[in-house]
Amino acid sequence: MVKKRVPDWLNNSMWSSTTATATTPLSPSHHPPPSSPFTEENDRLRRRPTAAAQQPKVDPPVNVPPPPSLSKRQQQDDQKVTANSNVTDVTDNSDAQSGTHSAEDISRQAQLLIELSRKVINMNELRRIVCQGIPDGSGVRSTVWKLLLGYLPPDRSLWPAELAKKRTQHKKFKDELLMNPSEISRRLDRSTICDDEAKCESSGMLSRSEITHGEHPLSLGKSSIWNKYFQDSEIIEQIDRDVKRTHPDIAFFSGDTPLAKSNQEALRNILIVFAKLNPGVRYVQGMNELLAPIYYTFRNDPDEDNAAFAEADTFFCFVELLSGFRDHFCQQLDNSVVGIRSTITKLSQLLKQHDEELWRHLEVTTKVNPQFYAFRWITLLLTQEFSFTDSLHIWDTLLSDPEGPQDTLLRVCCAMLILVRRRLLAGDFTANLKLLQNYPATNISHLLYVASKLCTRSSV
């Protein structure tokens, strides 16, 4: 068989990270053995240990100041998350482009503000503008994400009515699904007593409340509110544990401050309501990591009214996001055409299409099964591979795809492999697995540019 020639554009030095960014190998306790990545359900989406101690520190990037018409709150919040999250170094392959980022961001910010000020927003134009990320400090990421996820319609005049309807609906969900069975029983008792009193007054008998079989705490009936409550307890306990572990390095999510506790309670409420409304999926460990970027963005909206309803807005956008990935969370579908293994196979095929030499070295020569590293990349939308701030920029690009995030996600994952191709080609099974399970720091703008280059070449 004739070996496929590697395209010249892949051999350019700008596509590869230098060895200076190599990270310290992880200890065996940090990752499950490569031979058994799917040992049990709760290990499927295990959080990656914080690598702050392994990454060099650099000064945070300079944020673009918001326009005078916007509040300073968003700029302060963006600086806060940069300070609280792990600030990562950038690879040498993007130094030549760093001087142009500021001007590009300012131009993109101006285009965004113009587009968002229109009476009816052109969604195609909006996606084009944000496909390479939303500039920090612009204060519009919350609004843009709501538009991209279909929560807000393009017609601005419809926003107040749509928001009021959704937020009222979310309140009803919480009232119905987060209520303790004791409270439900008391409410039923009150209504029963009121009916009985009217009858007893005419008959002269004293009223009494009756406890039906379905309302008794020891009832095992399928319709029993107490039986359902105890069945949900295990899932709620798992949600509580995961919420407390969400981004422990960021004060917004972690700690004993009133702000952190309030945010944890909001995350908990969203996940519990989602689990009860979606019995086919319920809750799977790792969903909290997908929820965190949305809630953080909405809670830090410069508009105080929108920020106050961050929990409600986040819930519906979270549901919309997972609608395209819910099959990845169903273990019964792992081996189906819509399951996670099928998606990982698509990534393997994409790499083979664009860089057959690298694909052959990884999967044939060194036998690095893509499931060992890509499972977490794909299922958690890269939230564990980069800093929180960088994840927000990646999500800007993922959400801007009109066909859904998955195709863009696979291109970004493929670009991640190509950016470290020299190190991978020089490595064996152990070295490559450690590298991909603890991906080195890189410049996100450059990574997204490479991913867009793959999209262009695929369409040729």
Side-chain angles (χ1 to χ4, degrees):
M1 181 178 69
V2 178
K3 183 177 180 181
K4 184 177 178 180
R5 189 176 68 89
V6 178
D8 294 337
W9 68 281
L10 283 176
N11 286 324
N12 193 303
S13 59
M14 71 181 297
W15 302 112
S16 302
S17 301
T18 60
T19 55
T21 60
T23 56
T24 305
L26 299 179
S27 65
S29 61
H30 284 166
H31 296 290
S35 59
S36 57
F38 305 104
T39 53
E40 55 180 288
E41 177 67 18
N42 283 344
D43 290 335
R44 301 172 82 232
L45 304 173
R46 190 178 300 276
R47 176 182 174 85
R48 190 180 94 178
T50 303
Q54 301 176 7
Q55 298 177 349
K57 298 290 184 179
V58 297
D59 293 333
V62 178
N63 291 330
V64 179
S69 59
L70 296 176
S71 168
K72 293 183 179 179
R73 174 177 171 175
Q74 179 67 27
Q75 183 185 23
Q76 294 171 351
D77 289 333
D78 286 338
Q79 292 173 348
K80 177 178 65 177
V81 74
T82 301
N84 287 326
S85 60
N86 295 330
V87 180
T88 57
D89 196 4
V90 298
T91 53
D92 295 339
N93 57 19
S94 59
D95 288 344
Q97 297 181 351
S98 60
T100 63
H101 288 335
S102 178
E104 292 176 357
D105 286 351
I106 293 174
S107 174
R108 198 180 316 128
Q109 176 176 304
Q111 294 178 57
L112 265 177
L113 294 177
I114 292 174
E115 189 57 45
L116 291 175
S117 66
R118 301 185 189 279
K119 182 178 180 180
V120 179
I121 297 169
N122 185 328
M123 293 303 298
N124 291 332
E125 180 64 14
L126 181 66
R127 291 188 178 97
R128 183 195 65 80
I129 296 172
V130 305
C131 67
Q132 287 296 312
I134 299 174
D136 289 327
S138 59
V140 297
R141 178 173 279 121
S142 175
T143 301
V144 172
W145 281 17
K146 290 174 184 177
L147 285 163
L148 295 177
L149 286 167
Y151 183 61
L152 288 177
D155 190 340
R156 291 171 55 91
S157 65
L158 302 177
W159 290 6
E162 189 67 22
L163 289 173
K165 181 179 71 174
K166 293 291 188 181
R167 290 165 179 173
T168 300
Q169 185 178 359
H170 177 259
K171 184 178 184 303
K172 291 181 179 179
F173 286 155
K174 290 181 64 177
D175 290 342
E176 295 174 2
L177 300 175
L178 299 182
M179 189 182 302
N180 188 290
S182 298
E183 179 62 25
I184 297 177
S185 297
R186 280 194 292 269
R187 292 190 180 187
L188 291 173
D189 288 344
R190 290 195 207 102
S191 62
T192 303
I193 291 173
C194 291
D195 292 339
D196 289 344
E197 285 179 349
K199 297 178 181 178
C200 293
E201 286 178 359
S202 60
S203 63
M205 297 174 59
L206 296 177
S207 63
R208 58 175 297 181
S209 60
E210 295 182 0
I211 300 178
T212 65
H213 178 70
E215 296 166 16
H216 196 284
L218 300 181
S219 172
L220 298 178
K222 292 183 179 180
S223 61
S224 169
I225 56 177
W226 281 98
N227 187 30
K228 292 179 181 178
Y229 175 78
F230 291 128
Q231 288 178 353
D232 292 337
S233 296
E234 183 178 350
I235 293 178
I236 293 175
E237 289 175 2
Q238 181 65 58
I239 290 175
D240 287 338
R241 289 193 295 269
D242 290 348
V243 165
K244 291 178 181 179
R245 292 198 294 252
T246 302
H247 294 289
D249 54 336
I250 300 179
F252 179 87
F253 296 105
S254 180
D256 296 327
T257 64
L259 173 65
K261 289 185 175 297
S262 173
N263 294 332
Q264 289 176 3
E265 182 66 18
L267 296 180
R268 179 182 183 273
N269 291 341
I270 293 171
L271 292 171
I272 292 175
V273 171
F274 175 85
K276 290 188 175 184
L277 289 175
N278 296 272
V281 180
R282 306 283 278 177
Y283 172 78
V284 178
Q285 189 176 15
M287 286 183 177
N288 59 305
E289 302 294 350
L290 298 179
L291 179 62
I294 304 177
Y295 180 75
Y296 174 87
T297 299
F298 292 177
R299 185 64 182 84
N300 288 294
D301 192 311
D303 187 308
E304 296 291 344
D305 291 336
N306 287 332
F309 287 97
E311 182 180 330
D313 297 345
T314 300
F315 169 77
F316 287 102
C317 289
F318 177 69
V319 171
E320 181 62 29
L321 176 68
L322 255 62
S323 66
F325 291 96
R326 61 179 296 162
D327 293 335
H328 291 171
F329 291 94
C330 295
Q331 190 174 20
Q332 296 85 347
L333 298 176
D334 278 353
N335 295 316
S336 69
V337 294
V338 296
I340 182 62
R341 287 189 174 94
S342 175
T343 304
I344 293 176
T345 299
K346 293 178 182 178
L347 173 61
S348 175
Q349 294 170 347
L350 187 64
L351 177 62
K352 183 178 181 180
Q353 175 188 349
H354 292 286
D355 191 345
E356 185 171 354
E357 180 186 9
L358 179 57
W359 169 85
R360 188 174 301 279
H361 181 76
L362 280 176
E363 299 193 24
V364 179
T365 305
T366 62
K367 300 187 184 307
V368 176
N369 190 319
Q371 291 183 15
F372 299 160
Y373 59 88
F375 185 89
R376 187 179 64 197
W377 289 10
I378 294 172
T379 310
L380 299 185
L381 304 188
L382 300 175
T383 55
Q384 301 302 287
E385 315 313 316
F386 302 98
S387 71
F388 188 77
T389 306
D390 287 342
S391 296
L392 297 181
H393 285 280
I394 293 175
W395 277 38
D396 293 338
T397 299
L398 299 181
L399 298 180
S400 68
D401 191 331
E403 302 300 324
Q406 181 166 295
D407 288 344
T408 300
L409 173 64
L410 293 181
R411 287 193 294 271
V412 173
C413 291
C414 186
M416 290 169 63
L417 296 170
I418 290 175
L419 285 180
V420 293
R421 72 184 306 269
R422 287 187 173 180
R423 295 173 61 180
L424 291 173
L425 290 173
D428 57 9
F429 173 87
T430 303
N432 288 343
L433 187 61
K434 288 181 178 179
L435 175 64
L436 297 177
Q437 288 186 338
N438 189 29
Y439 194 81
T442 190
N443 181 278
I444 299 303
S445 296
H446 182 63
L447 172 63
L448 298 177
Y449 171 76
V450 176
S452 67
K453 182 80 172 180
L454 297 179
C455 178
T456 303
R457 293 184 62 83
S458 296
S459 61
V460 175

